Amino acid sequence: MDAPHLLAGLNDEQRAAVSAPLAPTLVLAGAGSGKTRVLTHRVAWLVQVEHVSPHGILAVTFTNKAAGEMRGRIESMLGVPSAPLWIGTFHGIAHRLLRLHWRETNLPQAFQIIDSDDQLRAIRKIIKSLELDESRWVPKEVMWFINARKDEGLRAKDLKDEGDPNRRQFIKLYELYQEQCDRSGSVDFAELLLRAYELLRDRPDVLSHYRNRFRHVLVDEFQDTNTIQYDWLKLLVGPTGVPFAVGDDDQSIYRWRGAKVENLQQYRRDFPGVQLFRLEQNYRSTGNILEAANALISNNTGRLGKNLWTSGERGEPVRLYAAFNERDEADFVVNRVRDWTLKGGRRSDCAILYRSNAQSRTFEEALLAARIPYRVYGGLRFFERAEIKDALAYLRLIFNRVDDASFERIVNLPARGIGTKTLDTVRNYARANACSMWQAAGACISELGNRLGQSLHGFLVLIEQLDQQTRNLPLHEQVDHVINATGLVAYYKQDKGDRGEAKVENLEELVTAARGFEPDEAAQMPALANFLSHAVLESGEDQADEWEDGVQMMTLHSAKGLEFPIVFMCGMEDGLFPSQRSITDVGGLEEERRLCYVGTTRAMKQLFMSYAEQRRLHGTDTYGTPSRFIKEIPPEFIEEIRPRIQVSRPVYVPRSSGSGRMEEERPGGIRLGQRVRHQKFGEGVVFNVEGDGSNAHIQINFERHGMKTLVLGYANLEPV
DNA sequence: TCAGTATGGGTTTTT
DNA sequence: CCCATACTGA
């Protein structure tokens, strides 16, 4: 009954978790402790030892990458195709459920998924149609509001305005947006989850079917679940299911988009007698790096508690570099990369991590100048490119005429003489008759002038024709025909420079993608619909040039789950990391600290941290202080490179005189990084100074009141 | 209708 | 400073 090969090579805790009895389980898995291993071995264990049918197992992850990795590993372990197993992202699984049960959820069969870009457009359109001021009703904020409510499982009708007219308006916009989506058959990301939840909640027949089927539900990165995901899981598992959750509260870095670490605790409450396992042995980092990470994260409150250890060597200390400015910082990194490659290391062993994407620029320039290949992660992905979305919009409209967003996107692209005036007419008609743009367009032709009517008619005919012509073609020929017959390819060919060329190439790449596309058999839908959904759900991270050996650059967020022999954590300055906005609230600061922890634990052999005294940010020079996180790491784990002679430089550097007179101190001794006291705001740190004399504007980061800009002459500051 | 200029705003990201 | 969008003039 045992399967030694499944437990071989695992440590005691891992083995215990993998072979745990069939009861609710929680595995607290620290960074680099072999969490994916446990998850995949557990699935194999269920199948081979417990003789659970793969048909009865559901494994959920957050990213397609994680899902793919898991699928691959399980397949090779079981030695059979893993098709009967449901492995996927929350969104992917939800989508599959909705495809199978579109009737029960009141969706049209042709429903389409929209990405956040489409969602924002739709919301903006609604705000405009109500003639609201976009600066007062910021589309992004509205979107955020709607998504946050959906993540909590709330519909517009569930919300009360509480006498707040502001809130009332938001709720109204939510309602209108949802009506619009329902009319056009669009489902946004949050809606996928919410509908899937409502499906189980409201349809006992469906619920019991899936409860019977999926007795075993495994969840990765449990700390990242939001309310609706958790409720959905709980519903699905019910009283009889066997959940197996893996997570790490210290790596929860998505609170800002609705993730609830508390779900880890909630899980233990909802499933009394949860078997708890802790994986604390780290197989990734050296002792020094690990100790530094442990010390850092111990500053957070309310942790579930866990201390990583390693049996490996101490390794080298964390190296700290104080750069003069961001250029110097980049040069430092480039030189360290060079050291590594000269010793025979691969460039891809090095990762440059930063807090915000904008920081990548300086590094790119420096690497470019040094002729070191690199790769930046997390830019615009394939299916998010404008030209691709244009092509997809045609396909979507062909598939589903009531898709207004797609209609508006391509009705005049390439230009065919359908301008604002024509569209206004159509829009008004559509609104007045509560019908789709497509229908409205048909009805408006006669009342438009000869020429305008003709153009519009031409468009309608084009779409109809494309539908007729491509209906029975294989998917890739369908795509190929559409991009050519609509004139899209010709249109982008005109674009000047290699920009246009690249776009045409991308369109051709789309045809290739369509050719290689394998439909999801289980979802039971036409290949085109399947392809369109796939494009939105898996916008395509894998780039073509993956094979070139290049330095890896990415944000700290996107580094989660990865590991590199050499890691550079850059821009370690208060205000940047931790970010300015997070500093004012405690929860925010703790999340930043976890982010720092995640970054630190990515490093296997060497970890470099750097900060710049002076940094050009949004066009102006700012003077930062080292990140508070650096001070939270005990000095014995850190080695400063190029010991600093002077820690804080005087604020006042005469520019105009250009003389050799250096660094005069301001009266009152105001220096950057200096602690000062203000009568009203209390204590703070001088963050930046612009101008000079008593007219100088001085920016101070107050402990209680956050960042304030004051005029030096009036501020009455007292050095502390 | 389009190109060229003014304006504003600027964590983090997956799906 | 760099980008994305809105507005203006031919």
Side-chain angles (χ1 to χ4, degrees):
Chain A
M1 178 75 170
D2 68 331
H5 65 283
L6 285 180
L7 300 177
L10 300 181
N11 67 31
D12 290 350
E13 279 300 308
Q14 290 173 333
R15 195 174 302 142
V18 166
S19 61
L22 303 188
T25 305
L26 175 62
V27 181
L28 288 176
S33 65
K35 136 189 101 86
T36 313
R37 214 149 170 239
V38 165
L39 219 38
T40 49
H41 281 244
R42 173 67 173 184
V43 171
W45 177 269
L46 289 177
V47 175
Q48 296 187 338
V49 179
E50 303 285 356
H51 301 296
V52 172
S53 160
H55 190 74
I57 300 175
L58 171 69
V60 208
T61 64
F62 276 83
T63 65
N64 290 304
K65 201 174 158 211
E69 205 167 296
M70 199 145 122
R71 168 154 304 220
R73 287 217 220 172
I74 288 173
E75 232 160 66
S76 71
M77 226 178 321
L78 293 183
V80 289
S82 58
L85 255 149
W86 275 30
I87 300 179
T89 62
F90 275 99
H91 296 266
I93 301 284
H95 173 238
R96 197 187 261 194
L97 286 175
L98 297 186
R99 285 289 171 205
L100 292 171
H101 301 281
W102 53 275
R103 283 188 195 85
E104 291 96 321
T105 49
N106 294 320
L107 280 171
Q109 186 171 19
F111 79 84
Q112 285 299 305
I113 306 173
I114 57 170
D115 66 13
S116 10
D117 191 62
D118 298 332
Q119 187 184 22
L120 190 63
R121 281 163 193 273
I123 289 168
R124 189 174 284 139
K125 207 178 105 190
I126 289 166
I127 293 175
K128 276 216 180 93
S129 77
L130 293 178
E131 292 177 334
L132 293 173
D133 179 5
E134 279 198 46
S135 56
R136 171 128 167 62
W137 310 100
V138 186
K140 271 204 174 135
E141 284 173 15
V142 176
M143 176 161 100
W144 194 86
F145 174 85
I146 294 173
N147 289 341
R149 298 294 85 72
K150 286 188 176 186
D151 285 347
E152 291 166 350
L154 299 169
R155 295 283 181 194
K157 64 171 167 46
D158 303 321
L159 300 168
K160 303 266 175 335
D161 62 21
E162 293 156 1
D164 178 354
N166 203 49
R167 191 173 159 85
R168 187 177 317 136
Q169 184 66 267
F170 270 83
I171 296 171
K172 186 76 197 159
L173 287 167
Y174 180 2
E175 198 183 340
L176 291 173
Y177 164 75
Q178 197 52 48
E179 279 170 11
Q180 167 66 37
C181 286
D182 292 345
R183 254 201 310 279
S184 61
S186 331
V187 175
D188 60 50
F189 289 130
E191 185 73 17
L192 281 173
L193 301 176
L194 181 49
R195 288 251 178 180
Y197 167 73
E198 289 169 344
L199 172 69
L200 297 189
R201 186 194 62 190
D202 301 338
R203 303 294 305 226
D205 50 331
V206 176
L207 179 61
S208 75
H209 172 258
Y210 285 104
R211 274 187 181 173
N212 283 330
R213 171 165 180 185
F214 295 119
R215 292 279 322 281
H216 294 273
V217 180
L218 297 90
V219 192
D220 192 15
E221 306 276 20
F222 199 82
Q223 77 283 352
D224 285 338
T225 52
N226 64 27
T227 304
I228 196 77
Q229 286 160 338
Y230 181 72
D231 289 349
W232 179 81
L233 284 170
K234 201 168 82 178
L235 207 49
L236 178 62
V237 168
T240 52
V242 183
F244 190 93
V246 180
D248 180 3
D249 55 321
D250 290 332
Q251 291 190 69
S252 153
I253 54 175
Y254 288 112
R255 197 184 71 128
W256 53 274
R257 70 174 198 217
K260 288 244 184 324
V261 213
E262 306 90 278
N263 285 344
L264 282 168
Q265 301 281 21
Q266 190 60 41
Y267 177 71
R268 292 173 78 181
R269 254 175 269 139
D270 288 338
F271 298 94
V274 158
Q275 327 176 62
L276 183 67
F277 300 95
R278 283 171 208 272
L279 306 184
E280 299 183 299
Q281 181 173 4
N282 174 293
Y283 295 96
R284 180 185 295 155
S285 313
T286 61
N288 261 305
I289 293 173
L290 218 48
E291 295 283 327
N294 281 338
L296 175 85
I297 199 66
S298 69
N299 288 286
N300 270 4
T301 58
R303 298 173 59 217
L304 292 177
K306 165 169 56 46
N307 232 359
L308 289 181
W309 60 276
T310 175
S311 61
E313 54 187 42
R314 281 231 63 74
E316 296 167 45
V318 177
R319 301 255 155 71
L320 177 65
Y321 180 71
F324 296 125
N325 54 32
E326 73 277 7
R327 297 295 318 239
D328 183 35
E329 183 182 46
D331 288 342
F332 169 75
V333 171
V334 166
N335 287 327
R336 296 294 78 71
V337 170
R338 212 180 255 138
D339 291 348
W340 176 254
T341 52
L342 284 177
K343 279 191 295 182
R346 286 188 315 181
R347 290 185 284 268
S348 58
D349 288 342
C350 308
I352 304 176
L353 308 183
Y354 35 77
R355 180 64 235 267
S356 71
N357 282 309
Q359 286 168 259
S360 75
R361 191 178 207 87
T362 326
F363 293 102
E364 287 188 67
E365 284 167 5
L367 288 165
L368 225 41
R371 299 179 179 280
I372 297 175
Y374 62 87
R375 191 182 160 199
V376 184
Y377 285 78
L380 204 52
R381 281 174 312 224
F382 183 72
F383 286 109
E384 289 168 2
R385 290 166 199 273
E387 63 274 19
I388 298 302
K389 294 200 71 172
D390 293 338
L392 293 178
Y394 272 105
L395 292 165
R396 282 159 66 153
L397 194 61
I398 289 166
F399 186 72
N400 175 22
R401 295 302 135 81
V402 301
D403 187 336
D404 287 357
S406 295
F407 182 98
E408 293 222 22
R409 185 175 183 112
I410 42 103
V411 67
N412 197 35
L413 192 115
R416 39 176 85 86
I418 301 170
T420 16
K421 192 165 168 282
T422 309
L423 278 179
D424 276 344
T425 314
V426 178
R427 260 194 291 264
N428 285 333
Y429 185 95
R431 195 169 325 140
N433 297 281
C435 68
S436 64
M437 291 290 282
W438 176 265
Q439 273 186 307
C444 287
I445 288 174
S446 51
E447 68 176 85
L448 284 160
N450 210 351
R451 240 181 64 172
L452 298 178
Q454 204 88 112
S455 310
L456 191 56
H457 182 246
F459 175 72
L460 300 183
V461 170
L462 173 70
I463 298 296
E464 289 290 1
Q465 274 179 351
L466 289 171
D467 191 2
Q468 297 296 322
Q469 292 161 350
T470 63
R471 183 155 285 190
N472 297 312
L473 293 178
L475 184 61
H476 70 274
E477 285 179 32
Q478 222 170 351
V479 177
D480 191 37
H481 184 77
V482 166
I483 61 174
N484 287 300
T486 55
L488 260 193
V489 170
Y491 171 74
Y492 282 121
K493 255 196 190 123
Q494 290 174 4
D495 264 28
K496 353 184 195 319
D498 26 290
R499 203 57 158 263
E501 221 168 285
K503 288 184 172 175
V504 175
E505 271 172 32
N506 283 335
L507 287 174
E508 280 156 7
E509 184 60 35
L510 183 65
V511 179
T512 310
R515 188 180 288 122
F517 179 68
E518 290 169 30
D520 174 5
E521 301 292 342
Q524 302 170 7
M525 59 175 142
L528 177 57
N530 202 163
F531 182 64
L532 292 171
S533 304
H534 168 89
V536 186
L537 279 177
E538 300 180 36
S539 39
E541 179 53 59
D542 22 53
Q543 310 253 313
D545 55 350
E546 215 170 315
W547 287 104
E548 194 186 18
D549 179 32
V551 176
Q552 323 242 50
M553 297 171 55
M554 68 196 81
T555 61
L556 287 154
H557 281 92
S558 36
K560 190 166 93 160
L562 306 175
E563 60 180 24
F564 311 92
I566 308 220
V567 166
F568 300 93
M569 290 174 70
C570 305
M572 300 284 295
E573 294 131 55
D574 259 31
L576 238 196
F577 187 38
S579 80
Q580 196 47 237
R581 297 173 74 156
S582 70
I583 287 177
T584 38
D585 103 284
V586 180
L589 191 61
E590 295 214 339
E591 177 144 314
E592 295 281 298
R593 190 176 283 111
R594 290 192 291 268
L595 188 56
C596 190
Y597 175 77
V598 166
T600 308
T601 52
R602 295 313 94 194
M604 300 161 78
K605 290 187 160 62
Q606 280 185 51
L607 176 61
F608 293 93
M609 292 187 174
S610 59
Y611 63 92
E613 291 180 328
Q614 185 182 16
R615 180 181 294 276
R616 229 173 148 68
L617 219 55
H618 310 315
T620 44
D621 284 331
T622 53
Y623 300 84
T625 49
S627 169
R628 60 193 69 193
F629 298 147
I630 293 174
K631 290 170 214 128
E632 292 174 1
I633 300 174
E636 63 260 37
F637 304 122
I638 297 186
E639 178 186 295
E640 268 206 76
I641 295 182
R642 199 181 76 184
R644 324 257 341 276
I645 299 146
Q646 193 184 17
V647 174
S648 59
R649 304 165 112 193
V651 159
Y652 179 57
V653 183
R655 280 160 212 256
S656 45
S657 65
S659 70
R661 213 158 34 109
M662 282 288 288
E663 310 192 332
E664 271 180 10
E665 200 169 298
R666 236 165 237 285
I670 304 294
R671 291 156 170 265
L672 289 179
Q674 159 139 39
R675 290 192 70 79
V676 291
R677 186 173 305 136
H678 182 270
Q679 283 198 317
K680 204 164 117 206
F681 300 130
E683 287 192 15
V685 173
V686 177
F687 188 77
N688 191 18
V689 176
E690 275 170 30
D692 50 292
S694 60
N695 249 339
H697 289 249
I698 178 164
Q699 211 181 355
I700 300 171
N701 187 18
F702 288 105
E703 266 159 24
R704 299 252 183 78
H705 297 85
M707 195 67 86
K708 296 265 185 266
T709 303
L710 307 167
V711 176
L712 189 57
Y714 300 103
N716 222 350
L717 296 169
E718 202 185 311
V720 178

